[in-house]
Structure formats: C-alpha cells, structure tokens
Amino acid sequence: MQGANTETAGATVVDVLRDQAEHHPDAPFVTFGGHTLSYCQVATQVRALAVGLHNLGIEPGDRIAVNLPNWPEFVITALAVAELGGSIVPLNPGYSPRELKFMLRNSEACVAVTAERYRGVDYLQMFETLLSDLPDLQYLVTVGEEDLWYDDRIFQFEDLVSSGMGREFEPARIDPAEDLFAIIFTPGIAGTPKGVMLTHENLMTTGRATADALRLNASDITLCSVPLFHVFGLGVALMTVLASGSTVVLQERFASSEALDLIASQRVTIVHGVPTMFVLLLRDPGLGERDLSSLRSGIVAGAPVSEELVEEARSRLVPELEIAYGLTETSPTVSLTGPGDQGVKRSQTVGRPLDGISVRIISEEDETELPPESIGELAVRGFNVMQGYFRQPNKTAAAFTADGFFKTGDLAMLDEDGYLHIVGRESEVIIRGGYNVHPREVEDLLRSHPAVEDVVVLGTPNEVLGELVCACVVPVEGALITDEELRDFCREGVSDYKIPDLIRFLEVFPTTPGGRARRAELARLVRSEES
C-alpha cells in the first residue's frame, strides 16, 4: 500500500517522515539508479546516521554542509541532520574552491558530507586542502565506492551509518517555527552570497501547500531533475513528496534523454523544472519514441517563461504544467497557476498566492501599498518567508517592511482578480538556465586580470538558456589576451554557469557624463551583433 497525505501544520520534517514510515512502511520513497528505498528503509538509515553523527559530538544547532548531487545520500543526510536538531547547508558541487571555502567558513559548518569524486573533481583532496583553513570544520564524511584509508577526522558515509544501526539516542526537541532545517546560500545584489535561514515550518508547510495545489497523492511519482542543493529541488521536489507520502525518482544531473527514459520507465506523473529544461525536453529527438502518457502535472519556475513554451509543454508533455513564482527566501513557492485558471490567467501570469500567503505591491520610494494594476516591488508575508539572513542582521532588517513583509526585489503587478504578474527585476541579475548570475561578481573577478582595463557583464537573450552571460572587455593598452584565456581565468574563481558565454573586446565603452558605462547601449550593441 502506498503512503498518504500527512498533516504538516506544526510538524517538523522528521515528524512527517516518522508518520509515513509508521503508517506506510513499505511505500516507496526514493528511487535512484534502479534501486528503491521505502519510507521505513529511509527512516532506519536516517536514524542510524543521526546516531553516528551524534556520537561525533554533533548537537542541536550545529550546521552540516552537504556537497552532493541528487543522490539518496543527500536525502538521508538532510533528514538525519534534522533529527539531530541541526541544519544543513546545501552546496553546489560545481562551486570553485574559492566559493566552497567561502560557504564553509561563513556557515561555520562543523561537518561536511561530500562526494569523494564527482564529474572529474577529487573532492577528498579539495577538502583535505581546505581543512587547515577552516577551524570550525571538524569532520568530513565522504560518499563513494573506493575503500580508502581515513584519519580520525574523515569517515565514509556507509561506515557512519553502520556504526549507528540499531542504536538509539534522545531525539532533539525541535520547534518547527523557530528551528532551522536549512541555510541556503543565494547571491546578493552584488553577488556576495547570503545564507537564507529556513525553518522546518517554512519548508514543510510550504511543501504541503504546494502539494495540495498540485493535487499530489500517494500514488504520484515525481522526477527530481532540479538539484536538491537548490531550494527548487529541496523545497518543491522533495518536500511535496514527503508531505504527500509519494515517491521521488532522483536524476543525478539533468540530461533530457535520460530524463525522458526515467519518465517512461518509472511511469513518472510529476516533473518540475526551469524553462530551459522544458525547452530541451521538447527538442529532444527521442521525445516521440517514449510512452510519456503517465505525466500529469508539474511546475515550471526559476526564470521567466514564455506563453508559447508553456502551451507547447502542456500539449506535448505535461497536460497540467503550472507556472509558479518563488525565491529561496520564500521556501520557495509564493504563487502558482491552477487547472481551473482560464485563458491568459493560466499562461501569462504566475497564478495566485498559496492560501495563507499575503502579497502586496509597494512603492519603491516609501513602501506604501499600491492599488491593483499598479507596477511596483512585490512584497510577501506568510509561513513561507525566511527567518532572515545568517549572521547578517542589517541585511535582514533591510529586506523587510516595517510591518513584516519581505521585499523580493522583483517588479510585479497584481491584477483585479488577484493574479500575480512578474514584469521585471530591480537588480541587473542574469538568469542563465535557472541559475542567478550577478554581473558585479564576474566583473570584479575579470578586473583582477592584469590584461583587463575595464569590463561590463550583462545578459543577452538566448532561446534555450533564457540568457547568456556576456562580458564586454576593454583590454589594457598593448595587452594580448584571448576570450578563451579569460574563460580559463574565470574557471579558477567561479562556478561554470557564471563563466561568460560571450566575450566582446572593445576599445572604449560608451559612457554617461559622469563616466559610467552605458549598460543599455552595450546591451543593444551585443544584441545587434548576435542577430
């Protein structure tokens, strides 16, 4: 018998797992690589890992970094840390050593759970190099198949689980409204990461509300191709499954052909993704060769989505694909469309807010609420809104209005029927394939190259990725430099998705009377060259 929807109001993530495991122990929870773990099996491994970590001295409030792709070990680690009363710090395995060091240092993580090797990167070696510079990081837990010799600070994941199997400890007392489940780092306006603090209630209640809006039930099977280290994967793909007692099929890393194979072989009913993912699925030459009739619903979010893409995806792939809006700071869902929405409301808006979530459009000058049909900054209040930014009280205070609404930084309009229209962004953030790239971060890195006199980074439209990262560079007089040399330089400092796709060399930038580069004019120049 499958699992069932579980009441999550006032419940911790661990409460929901225990309830599913007690009442529906044999229901499938996590499928990966052809193997499936039931709710009972996951709960057993979660308890064992929690005991193993507890015996290392991990206590409530401690932070555990998770540097893993979409593997079952990510799910087990996240839930085990929750049982200890700690919080996870999900990390993108694509981070450069510099980025990884920043996240670990600023989160004050005392344990890191990491892949030994992934996509050609030796993380064991990378972490061993970083350990001496991270006084808070006491232990490393590695996931891999090699039988390696470790010192007294490095443990293999399976060994730690085995050490706690069949043993018990006193579970932590967790207040779902106050205690953190995760600290997820997201770029700030200038690209400096901020740790978003999300409680059990933030993620579990939002997951429950999102599952209800999608009409998820215990027989649903969700394909999780979006990364679990991102709030889309953690908060939507995983929490909706846990709340509904259904099944999640993990895809290690999105690839359209493999995703279609998984949908067909596992009879997937729910698929989520950023617009780029749906573009690639629809363009895959094998789309018509698989039986995808099991697909029912899902969410497209994370970047602006065109009406044409949504309509094509609904007609050829996911009949009840819904458009959603959210941010890391909102756990993430704020609003989404529904099957009952009609016409342009379903294809040109991001729907209406979830029950229990309030939104308003405010003036950028004085934060007063604007009437319907006005364009201003979107502000949100409800159970989904974060506790704040980790160790950044000033940034936290600045992110809220006087009466407690979170200021999203997105320009929006609320129509007379209560539907939300996202019309732009206040910042110059580039959204490439669903990932945020902040120009300032890439500009600062490129300016540190001795052959670069000045640089402006901006986004240029792209049919597949939404936007490409373009760097307009003025070289130092007499310097010899190629675009590939600059890309190689960037690889040492930032994640792959932040490396400029396009580099344009100019002798001088068009400037304002005050001497600042005219970004809009540069953008027009780049787009005219591309057309």
Side-chain angles (χ1 to χ4, degrees), residues 31 157 179 184 192 218 242 259 267 323 369 372 382 447 478 499 507:
T31 295
F157 184 90
D179 291 330
I184 303 178
T192 303
L242 184 57
R267 304 304 294 161
I323 306 171
E369 184 172 3
R447 284 195 186 98
I499 296 171
E507 292 184 4

Side-chain angles (χ1 to χ4, degrees), residues 87 121 205 265 306 312 340 345 372 386 463 503:
S87 53
V121 178
T205 305
S265 64
S306 70
E312 184 183 3
K345 301 294 189 184
M386 67 170 182
E463 187 177 355
I503 296 179

Side-chain angles (χ1 to χ4, degrees), residues 355-412:
D355 290 342
I357 294 174
S358 301
V359 300
R360 64 169 56 156
I361 307 300
I362 61 174
S363 164
E364 298 172 67
E365 286 75 29
D366 57 11
E367 298 183 358
T368 56
E369 184 172 3
L370 300 175
E373 308 291 339
S374 301
I375 293 176
E377 183 177 5
L378 174 63
V380 181
R381 185 171 66 186
F383 53 76
N384 61 333
V385 175
M386 67 170 182
Q387 290 288 88
Y389 296 116
F390 183 62
R391 294 177 57 222
Q392 292 183 306
N394 292 334
K395 280 188 169 58
T396 299
F400 288 86
T401 64
D403 56 349
F405 276 75
F406 170 69
K407 298 181 289 185
T408 66
D410 286 318
L411 299 177

Side-chain angles (χ1 to χ4, degrees), residues 230-276:
H230 191 280
V231 73
F232 197 174
L234 184 66
V236 174
L238 183 59
M239 291 301 162
T240 58
V241 166
L242 184 57
S244 59
S246 55
T247 305
V248 62
V249 177
L250 299 177
Q251 183 180 15
E252 182 178 271
R253 186 172 185 267
F254 176 75
S256 60
S257 182
E258 182 191 22
L260 293 172
D261 286 340
L262 288 170
I263 291 168
S265 64
Q266 300 298 322
R267 304 304 294 161
V268 167
T269 62
I270 309 293
V271 61
H272 308 300
V274 298
T276 298

Side-chain angles (χ1 to χ4, degrees), residues 259-337:
L260 293 172
D261 286 340
L262 288 170
I263 291 168
S265 64
Q266 300 298 322
R267 304 304 294 161
V268 167
T269 62
I270 309 293
V271 61
H272 308 300
V274 298
T276 298
M277 294 167 66
F278 285 100
V279 169
L280 294 173
L281 288 170
L282 291 166
R283 286 187 175 184
D284 192 283
L287 177 65
E289 300 173 3
R290 278 96 158 183
D291 178 5
L292 308 176
S293 59
S294 60
L295 282 175
R296 176 179 66 81
S297 186
I299 284 176
V300 58
V305 55
S306 70
E307 180 179 0
E308 294 75 19
L309 175 59
V310 172
E311 291 181 349
E312 184 183 3
R314 286 173 180 159
S315 65
R316 299 182 60 202
L317 195 63
V318 188
E320 296 179 10
L321 182 66
E322 307 301 346
I323 306 171
Y325 168 80
L327 307 99
T328 305
E329 288 91 339
T330 57
S331 306
T333 315
V334 172
S335 66
L336 75 164
T337 58

Side-chain angles (χ1 to χ4, degrees), residues 336-352:
L336 75 164
T337 58
D341 297 335
Q342 301 297 317
V344 297
K345 301 294 189 184
R346 189 153 191 250
S347 58
Q348 296 182 14
T349 80
V350 293
R352 287 182 284 196

Side-chain angles (χ1 to χ4, degrees), residues 49-271:
L49 180 59
V51 171
L53 292 170
H54 173 76
N55 290 339
L56 292 180
I58 307 307
E59 299 177 341
D62 283 344
R63 290 163 293 282
I64 313 299
V66 185
N67 186 59
L68 297 172
N70 286 7
W71 292 347
E73 289 86 355
F74 190 116
V75 178
I76 292 165
T77 299
L79 297 172
V81 171
E83 186 152 358
L84 285 166
S87 53
I88 60 167
V89 181
L91 302 175
N92 182 345
Y95 281 148
S96 68
R98 187 186 73 167
E99 292 170 315
L100 186 63
K101 182 177 179 180
F102 179 93
M103 306 293 180
L104 291 167
R105 173 175 287 171
N106 283 272
S107 67
E108 299 174 335
C110 59
V111 177
V113 180
T114 182
E116 290 175 1
R117 288 179 177 82
Y118 178 64
R119 293 179 58 78
V121 178
D122 187 339
Y123 287 102
L124 183 59
Q125 182 180 34
M126 185 185 297
F127 271 90
E128 284 182 321
T129 302
L130 292 173
L131 277 171
S132 59
D133 295 327
L134 299 167
D136 294 307
L137 188 60
Q138 298 300 307
Y139 299 105
L140 194 63
V141 180
T142 67
V143 179
E145 297 180 355
E146 295 189 31
D147 186 15
L148 302 174
W149 179 86
Y150 300 117
D151 62 24
D152 57 0
R153 296 179 63 184
I154 304 177
F155 298 85
Q156 200 157 27
F157 184 90
E158 291 183 358
D159 292 341
L160 206 57
V161 171
S162 296
S163 72
M165 197 65 72
R167 301 182 180 182
E168 295 294 330
F169 76 108
E170 185 67 29
R173 294 179 180 271
I174 302 171
D175 181 343
E178 296 293 333
D179 291 330
L180 302 183
F181 177 84
I183 299 173
I184 303 178
F185 278 88
T186 184
I189 295 298
T192 303
K194 297 181 291 187
V196 177
M197 300 187 294
L198 300 177
T199 67
H200 286 249
E201 180 179 74
N202 286 151
L203 286 161
M204 197 72 255
T205 305
T206 307
R208 165 76 276 157
T210 306
D212 287 345
L214 293 173
R215 300 183 296 171
L216 260 64
N217 60 59
S219 63
D220 276 311
I221 300 171
T222 296
L223 175 63
C224 180
S225 297
V226 289
L228 287 169
F229 60 75
H230 191 280
V231 73
F232 197 174
L234 184 66
V236 174
L238 183 59
M239 291 301 162
T240 58
V241 166
L242 184 57
S244 59
S246 55
T247 305
V248 62
V249 177
L250 299 177
Q251 183 180 15
E252 182 178 271
R253 186 172 185 267
F254 176 75
S256 60
S257 182
E258 182 191 22
L260 293 172
D261 286 340
L262 288 170
I263 291 168
S265 64
Q266 300 298 322
R267 304 304 294 161
V268 167
T269 62
I270 309 293
V271 61

